[in-house]
């Protein structure tokens, strides 16, 4: 075959990033969404984890068709057709998001020192699994690093020349971590007390971000929010932990819209972000958080620009009302 033809064919070949099986154990958390579960499970099948943990909460009695949806979802993950040790934690009754997910991760790390966690609406890129394999091994004993995220919320903007950067935030749309980190998880935030606002100010300079996080902390601690993930954020904040964020988006949340528990807005800017790939993992020189990157995401999530405009407008009104002599008799 002439060299030019061979090179042309080589360039046109489809690259399969998951051709090498992942080395890491994987926890797959499912519930009542057979459509998204199948798409994510197909990517897991390509990665062929050696040990697969599957956890599912039970159907809610208030939802008439949920029992059938849960059964259909569980049927999808029954088709493990690669050499794999499979363990399941299927609940008959519903325990809710906070208890269901956190107890599943408890179970996973009781059996594994480290691994990958995917939920049923978090579609991974092929190279996500290798990304996690490499970094789980590299930072296994580095207690500064607590979390490996799969998603990137910067829409193409890169931070540095390496494959990833460091953050103070924990993104949970496809992630990996170690038992040493999960041991610090506090579902009720019982261990944390005192002036939380001052502690958050030492991490985030923006007062609106701090006030938003303080409010969330208080709501979670009071049991008013049925979720598990904010607790992981606060454990990371209060231990000055670092998260690894890829410079390409390796997870797309395909679960926004009808059927979602929390991500119900199908027009959300973070819905269905296109996937990228990282063929070779390169490492940053400095182990420091990119504060500006975190600020951009948090200000967007908490709608800080709009809140700032309203605050300034109110301040101007107050100043006009309080002008000297305005209320003089």
């Amino acid at each position: 075959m002439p060299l030019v033809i061979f090179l042309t064919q080589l360039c046109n070949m489809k690259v399969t990033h998951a051709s090498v099986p992942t080395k890491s154990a994987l926890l797959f958390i499912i519930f009542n969404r057979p459509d998204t579960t199948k798409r994510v499970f197909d990517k897991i099948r390509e990665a062929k984890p050696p040990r697969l943990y599957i956890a599912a909460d039970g159907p809610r009695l208030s939802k008439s068709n949920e029992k059938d949806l849960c059964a259909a979802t569980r049927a999808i993950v029954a088709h493990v057709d690669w050499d794999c040790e499979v363990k399941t934690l299927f609940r008959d009754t519903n325990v809710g998001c906070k208890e269901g997910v956190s107890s599943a991760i408890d179970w996973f790390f009781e059996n594994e020192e480290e691994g990958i966690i995917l939920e049923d609406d978090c579609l991974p890129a092929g190279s996500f699994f290798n990304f996690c394999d490499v970094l789980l091994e590299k930072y296994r004993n580095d207690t500064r690093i607590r979390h490996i995220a799969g998603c990137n919320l910067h829409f193409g903007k890169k931070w540095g020349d390496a494959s990833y950067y460091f953050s103070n935030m924990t993104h949970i749309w496809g992630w990996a971590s170690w038992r040493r980190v999960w041991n610090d998880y506090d579902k009720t935030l019982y261990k944390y007390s005192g002036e939380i606002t001052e502690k958050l100010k030492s991490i985030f300079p923006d007062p609106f971000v701090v006030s938003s996080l303080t409010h969330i902390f208080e709501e979670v601690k009071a049991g008013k929010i049925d979720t598990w993930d904010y607790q992981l954020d606060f454990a990371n904040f209060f231990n000055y932990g670092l998260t690894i964020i890829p410079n390409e988006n390796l997870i797309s949340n395909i679960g926004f819209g009808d059927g979602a528990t929390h991500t119900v807005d199908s027009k959300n800017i973070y819905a269905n972000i296109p996937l990228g790939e990282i063929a070779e993992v390169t490492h940053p020189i400095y182990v420091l958080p990119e504060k500006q990157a975190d600020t951009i995401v948090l200000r967007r999530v908490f709608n800080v620009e709009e809140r700032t405009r309203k605050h300034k407008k109110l301040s101007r009104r107050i100043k006009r009302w309080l002008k000297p002599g305005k209320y003089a008799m």
Side-chain angles (χ1 to χ4, degrees):
M1 179 186 297
L3 180 60
V4 65
I5 297 177
F6 172 76
L7 291 175
T8 300
Q9 291 179 347
L10 185 63
C11 290
N12 290 332
M13 287 176 61
K14 181 180 179 181
V15 178
T16 304
H17 292 276
S19 57
V20 178
T22 181
K23 298 182 292 184
S24 301
L26 190 147
L27 169 63
F28 189 28
I29 301 172
I30 63 174
F31 182 35
N32 65 352
R33 307 186 73 177
D35 53 342
T36 62
T37 298
K38 184 180 186 308
R39 292 180 64 187
V40 178
F41 186 67
D42 285 345
K43 300 299 290 188
I44 293 172
R45 177 185 282 118
E46 291 178 13
K48 298 180 174 63
R51 295 179 304 286
L52 178 62
Y53 296 74
I54 309 172
D57 200 0
R60 292 165 291 187
L61 296 178
S62 60
K63 305 289 183 178
S64 59
N65 66 333
E66 196 160 82
K67 184 176 181 180
D68 292 338
L69 288 173
C70 289
T73 303
R74 296 180 188 190
I76 289 169
V77 298
H79 301 291
V80 176
D81 54 6
W82 67 94
D83 186 15
C84 179
E85 179 184 351
V86 180
K87 296 182 180 182
T88 58
L89 178 63
F90 290 168
R91 297 187 181 277
D92 296 325
T93 57
N94 187 270
V95 297
C97 180
K98 178 164 68 176
E99 181 63 31
V101 176
S102 65
S103 63
I105 303 173
D106 286 341
W107 169 62
F108 181 58
F109 283 121
E110 285 168 4
N111 290 278
E112 299 288 341
E113 289 284 348
E114 62 189 37
I116 299 169
I117 295 92
L118 280 171
E119 294 185 63
D120 57 8
D121 56 0
C122 299
L123 184 70
S127 57
F128 165 74
F129 302 95
N130 179 66
F131 183 76
C132 292
D133 283 348
V134 169
L135 297 175
L136 281 170
E137 181 177 355
K138 178 175 176 61
Y139 294 106
R140 183 172 292 147
N141 300 310
D142 189 337
T143 56
R144 296 172 299 176
I145 314 303
R146 298 175 59 87
H147 190 89
I148 302 165
C151 66
N152 179 297
L153 305 180
H154 289 283
F155 305 99
K157 179 175 175 57
K158 293 179 170 55
W159 300 88
D161 298 325
S163 299
Y164 58 93
Y165 68 91
F166 296 102
S167 166
N168 288 129
M169 299 169 60
T170 56
H171 299 320
I172 47 83
W173 293 348
W175 55 288
S177 192
W178 302 265
R179 179 190 292 171
R180 62 171 171 80
V181 174
W182 190 253
N183 285 341
D184 291 331
Y185 181 78
D186 181 4
K187 181 173 59 181
T188 63
L189 298 178
Y190 174 80
K191 71 175 74 170
Y192 300 114
S193 59
E195 186 47 71
I196 297 302
T197 298
E198 292 304 313
K199 293 178 173 62
L200 291 171
K201 282 181 180 178
S202 68
I203 306 170
F204 302 108
D206 191 296
F208 286 103
V209 168
V210 170
S211 66
S212 298
L213 289 171
T214 300
H215 176 71
I216 289 170
F217 177 89
E218 293 169 348
E219 293 285 286
V220 171
K221 189 158 185 172
K224 296 180 180 179
I225 301 177
D226 180 32
T227 192
W228 66 275
D229 51 336
Y230 286 129
Q231 296 89 319
L232 190 62
D233 274 324
F234 289 115
N236 195 59
F237 296 157
F238 301 148
N239 284 279
Y240 288 98
L242 294 176
T243 291
I244 289 169
I245 308 286
N247 261 324
E248 295 284 349
N249 182 50
L250 301 181
I251 295 286
S252 181
N253 191 313
I254 59 173
F256 280 82
D258 294 339
T261 302
H262 297 113
T263 54
V264 294
D265 180 9
S266 61
K267 296 181 181 179
N268 189 289
I269 60 170
Y270 295 135
N272 301 294
I273 299 176
L275 291 170
E277 297 286 0
I278 296 176
E280 180 182 0
V281 181
T282 59
H283 309 287
I285 297 173
Y286 302 105
V287 184
L288 295 169
E290 290 284 357
K291 294 287 189 178
Q292 186 182 357
D294 286 353
T295 298
I296 288 171
V297 172
L298 285 167
R299 288 177 67 87
R300 190 186 297 136
V301 168
F302 294 133
N303 197 21
V304 169
E305 299 302 328
E306 178 63 24
R307 291 171 62 190
T308 302
R309 283 195 295 270
K310 289 181 179 179
H311 178 75
K312 288 180 177 178
K313 186 175 181 180
L314 179 60
S315 295
R316 287 195 296 269
R317 286 180 178 176
I318 291 173
K319 287 178 180 178
R320 287 199 299 269
W321 292 338
L322 299 180
K323 279 183 179 180
K326 183 175 177 64
Y327 298 105
M329 297 299 292

